[in-house]
Amino acid sequence: MSAHGGNRAIIAALSANLGIAVTKFLAFLLTGASSMLAEAVHSVADSGNQALLLLGGKRAKREADERHPFGYGRERYIYAFIVSIVLFSVGGLFALYEAWHKWEHPEPIDAWQWVPIAVLLVAMAMEGYSFRTAIVESNRLRGTQSWVSFVRNAKSPELPVVLLEDFGALIGLVLALFGVSMTLATDDGRWDAAGTAGIGLLLVSIAVVLAVETKSLLLGESATRADVDAIRAAVIGDGVPSVIHLRTLHLGPEELLVAAKIEVDATESAAEIAAAIDGAEARIRAAVPIARVIYLEPDLRRAVDVSEG
């Protein structure tokens, strides 16, 4: 569900940003407003980012092979990390440069003065639709989590990325509207530059948040606490009285590796132990379907160093 919902949100955002980018570039060409140029580049960067997320999702579906025996699920994390770099450099740093340039050489908006206001209002409506789609799809997975917790704990990177991009886009449009409106009202181009600087700082901040969260996924995160508890409870059953220690690792958003040392009885035969392991694996997969790769090591209950393999 998360992959399907993520794609729906990505496609909605991509459609909106392509249309918005064209109108913003047109507004910049007609008026010369730096905030319109910054917003146009921002929309182009967002469109490229959404294309990267779709590409990462497609490549992550490749079957495991000899060179990558655990599959390609983490490619989604890699492309999400690239998105943060693009947002930082193409979006944020360009806007800051443009703001500095226009602050040094401010220019009023003399022609087509109504165009940037109209374009920004239309862009707000389109971005609002995209943001609403991302919220609806995220709510299917968010449960009772706060939005901050959802962004920090989500294992699928697409929805948090689109949420933050759309949220940043809406705030950026407000900043652009403020800068353009004040420039029209005062005939001072530095207001336009100030709005552009605000857009740049906003994009850099969002890019840093995305980079930090995606880095954690790339390093390898464990299953959620709820899934870990469900796995631990599922292991215990016929022939497995307890779990000595348990490790989990996300190989991708919808693929989990489970490794555990389980207690068995010293009097059991090899066939009985094998049957107990098979039963435990079946219970784990029933409790947590994304547990695709499972390794269970039988052992006797004794003083065991939890750090041993």
Side-chain angles (χ1 to χ4, degrees), residues 4-261:
H4 177 70
N7 284 343
R8 183 179 301 169
I10 293 170
I11 292 170
L14 178 59
S15 301
N17 279 310
L18 287 174
I20 292 170
V22 173
T23 56
K24 287 176 180 174
F25 271 121
L26 179 61
F28 166 70
L29 292 174
L30 292 174
T31 65
S34 66
S35 57
M36 296 307 303
L37 178 59
E39 274 295 303
V41 173
H42 177 193
S43 294
V44 170
D46 280 355
S47 299
N49 288 343
Q50 280 121 33
L52 285 171
L53 291 175
L54 290 173
L55 177 62
K58 182 177 180 180
R59 291 181 61 83
K61 294 178 181 178
R62 289 178 293 168
E63 295 293 330
D65 53 36
E66 185 176 352
R67 189 173 184 182
H68 298 91
F70 292 112
Y72 293 84
R74 286 196 180 184
E75 284 219 45
R76 288 167 67 179
Y77 301 151
I78 293 171
Y79 279 87
F81 189 76
I82 294 173
V83 163
S84 69
I85 296 173
V86 172
L87 192 64
F88 180 86
S89 56
V90 178
L93 294 185
F94 176 83
L96 290 174
Y97 166 77
E98 184 64 17
W100 172 79
H101 175 71
K102 282 300 176 78
W103 186 268
E104 293 291 318
H105 306 282
E107 298 177 2
I109 301 174
D110 296 322
W112 300 90
Q113 294 181 337
W114 60 271
V115 169
I117 302 296
V119 167
L120 289 170
L121 291 176
V122 171
M124 284 180 180
M126 297 177 72
E127 285 289 2
Y129 169 75
S130 173
F131 191 41
R132 179 183 177 278
T133 302
I135 289 174
V136 169
E137 296 302 326
S138 298
N139 278 334
R140 301 178 190 274
L141 303 173
R142 186 168 64 95
T144 59
Q145 296 181 86
S146 67
W147 285 108
V148 173
S149 178
F150 174 73
V151 169
R152 296 194 62 183
N153 297 324
K155 306 304 180 184
S156 299
E158 292 84 1
L159 284 173
V161 168
V162 174
L163 276 170
L164 287 174
E165 280 190 346
D166 285 350
F167 176 75
L170 285 170
I171 300 300
L173 288 168
V174 172
L175 292 172
L177 184 61
F178 172 78
V180 168
S181 299
M182 291 301 295
T183 297
L184 292 173
T186 65
D187 211 31
D188 184 354
R190 283 195 171 93
W191 284 107
D192 187 28
T196 304
I199 294 169
L201 292 173
L202 174 71
L203 295 180
V204 167
S205 300
I206 292 175
V208 169
V209 171
L210 285 177
V212 170
E213 296 304 324
T214 309
K215 183 196 75 170
S216 179
L217 293 170
L218 280 171
L219 289 174
E221 289 190 356
S222 65
T224 63
R225 172 52 55 189
D227 281 348
V228 170
D229 291 342
I231 291 169
R232 188 178 296 275
V235 171
I236 299 173
D238 292 340
V240 184
S242 70
V243 178
I244 297 173
H245 66 75
L246 172 67
R247 299 287 186 272
T248 61
L249 178 69
H250 268 275
L251 301 174
E254 284 93 34
E255 189 170 12
L256 188 65
L257 181 148
V258 177
K261 181 166 286 191

Side-chain angles (χ1 to χ4, degrees), residues 251-276:
L251 301 174
E254 284 93 34
E255 189 170 12
L256 188 65
L257 181 148
V258 177
K261 181 166 286 191
I262 60 175
E263 179 187 2
V264 296
D265 195 294
T267 62
E268 290 182 332
S269 66
E272 290 171 330
I273 291 174

